Amino acid sequence: MTRYSRYTSPEQRSHIVLIWLVVTLLTSSAAILTRYCRMPATSIGFWRVLGGALVLSPWWYAAWKREGRPAVFSLGTCITGLFLGVHFATWAWSLQNTTVANAMLFIGLQPLLAPFVARPLLGERLTRWEILACALACLGMFWILGRQFAYGREHLAGSLMAFGSASLCACYFVLSRKYRAGQHALLFSVPVYLTAAAVQLAAGLTVGGGISLGDGPSRLAVLGLILLPTVGGHTLAIYLLRHVKSQLVTLTVPAQFIFGTTAAVFLFKETPSYWFLTGAVVVMSGVVLGVMKSERVPVPRR
């Protein structure tokens, strides 16, 4: 359970809970808005990160001058941006090839995958709770994939792609922790976004024949992706991390699944089956257990 400081007033707690709800709603909108984008997956991800970089560029420029005009790109930002770019492209593809519930459930495994990525990259040990949580989530995941393989193979490719995208997302977060240590958030984030855009541009030119501008509704959906989950959700999450433990922010992952799945029922008439919901409860139980029992990582001082 997230603990507040004994100096936190009830009004401040209500303020924190409200911000958490806004962050969750903003980030869960990504799946819904992506479904409204009628363009290739690489184009969706390209415009999302490029737009995010352009929106943040005035604040990045001010921070860049204040920090003494350091090199814009580094090995760390390029590697991290590579993983972010492939993650966004594969995530959009999964949403185009399965239901919102499927895609959001499997992408939601990234908090459990991150410790396994952090072990070789950062030398962080795995706790018994993390291993148990992953085993619980795997049990639910195998149940869902087994049923899809037997009765609904049209969703199998999208589910597997979402799981692969979750692995890439976990790598992105671990690499961010590795390379961003002691660096201003904007000075790290904007070059990462630009690198991710370049990666998706290259992929779009290679496999998709270029980057699509989409039709009118698609452009509005992309604008929503830029402003709501990318800029708004990310910025508020950073603000929230100043006041609460990271576990509370990470708990937006299972909450996003609930909000996104509920919205898809009304917007796209996608009602999950009972066997899917049974497996989803087991998977999300593992995610929540892993988040609540995760150990805090010391933050390097600048």
Side-chain angles (χ1 to χ4, degrees):
M1 182 176 180
T2 301
R3 295 182 180 179
Y4 300 96
S5 166
R6 60 192 179 98
Y7 301 108
T8 305
S9 66
E11 292 78 12
Q12 289 173 317
R13 295 180 187 181
S14 299
H15 178 67
I16 288 171
V17 171
L18 178 60
I19 293 177
W20 183 87
L21 286 172
V22 172
V23 169
T24 304
L25 288 171
L26 289 176
T27 50
S28 61
S29 70
I32 302 300
L33 290 168
T34 299
R35 287 291 294 273
Y36 283 111
C37 295
R38 292 189 288 269
M39 60 178 70
T42 50
S43 297
I44 298 172
F46 170 80
W47 292 118
R48 181 177 176 181
V49 287
L50 180 63
L54 292 176
V55 170
L56 294 172
S57 60
W59 292 275
W60 170 85
Y61 183 70
W64 180 68
K65 288 201 303 182
R66 189 168 56 250
E67 295 288 329
R69 303 174 185 265
V72 176
F73 294 95
S74 65
L75 177 62
T77 57
C78 291
I79 294 175
T80 307
L82 170 65
F83 278 91
L84 178 62
V86 182
H87 157 60
F88 270 164
T90 52
W91 165 233
W93 190 93
S94 69
L95 280 165
Q96 293 173 334
N97 290 273
T98 187
T99 63
V100 170
N102 261 330
M104 293 193 74
L105 178 67
F106 284 89
I107 199 70
L109 290 170
Q110 58 89 8
L112 295 183
L113 297 172
F116 292 88
V117 178
R119 175 61 179 171
L121 289 180
L122 303 180
E124 295 175 358
R125 64 183 181 87
L126 297 171
T127 68
R128 288 176 294 179
W129 285 111
E130 287 171 336
I131 295 174
L132 176 62
C134 190
L136 183 62
C138 286
L139 179 64
M141 182 179 66
F142 289 140
W143 163 260
I144 292 173
L145 288 176
R147 299 285 294 191
Q148 287 180 351
F149 183 80
Y151 304 110
R153 296 191 185 184
E154 68 274 10
H155 297 302
L156 190 60
S159 298
L160 292 175
M161 182 66 79
F163 177 75
S165 188
S167 303
L168 293 165
C169 185
C171 292
Y172 160 69
F173 281 119
V174 172
L175 288 168
S176 295
R177 279 172 40 204
K178 176 181 176 65
Y179 291 113
R180 190 201 148 189
Q183 188 175 356
H184 193 287
L186 283 175
L187 294 183
F188 181 80
S189 297
V190 169
V192 167
Y193 284 176
L194 292 174
T195 303
V199 168
Q200 290 172 104
L201 174 61
L205 292 173
T206 303
V207 301
I211 296 297
S212 172
L213 292 174
D215 54 15
S218 297
R219 294 171 191 171
L220 288 175
V222 167
L223 181 61
L225 279 172
I226 294 169
L227 297 178
L228 299 180
T230 308
V231 175
H234 178 73
T235 304
L236 283 177
I238 292 176
Y239 169 80
L240 196 61
L241 281 170
R242 297 178 181 177
H243 302 277
V244 299
K245 290 182 178 180
S246 59
Q247 283 90 332
L248 181 62
V249 178
T250 314
L251 276 175
T252 61
V253 172
Q256 286 174 47
F257 169 75
I258 296 171
F259 288 152
T261 301
T262 303
V265 172
F266 297 98
L267 295 175
F268 309 120
K269 310 302 180 185
E270 296 179 357
T271 303
S273 62
Y274 289 112
W275 59 262
F276 175 85
L277 292 176
T278 301
V281 169
V282 178
V283 172
M284 286 293 116
S285 297
V287 173
V288 172
L289 176 65
V291 169
M292 299 304 293
K293 292 295 184 179
S294 64
E295 294 185 346
R296 300 190 68 185
V297 179
V299 179
R301 294 183 178 179
R302 295 187 65 193

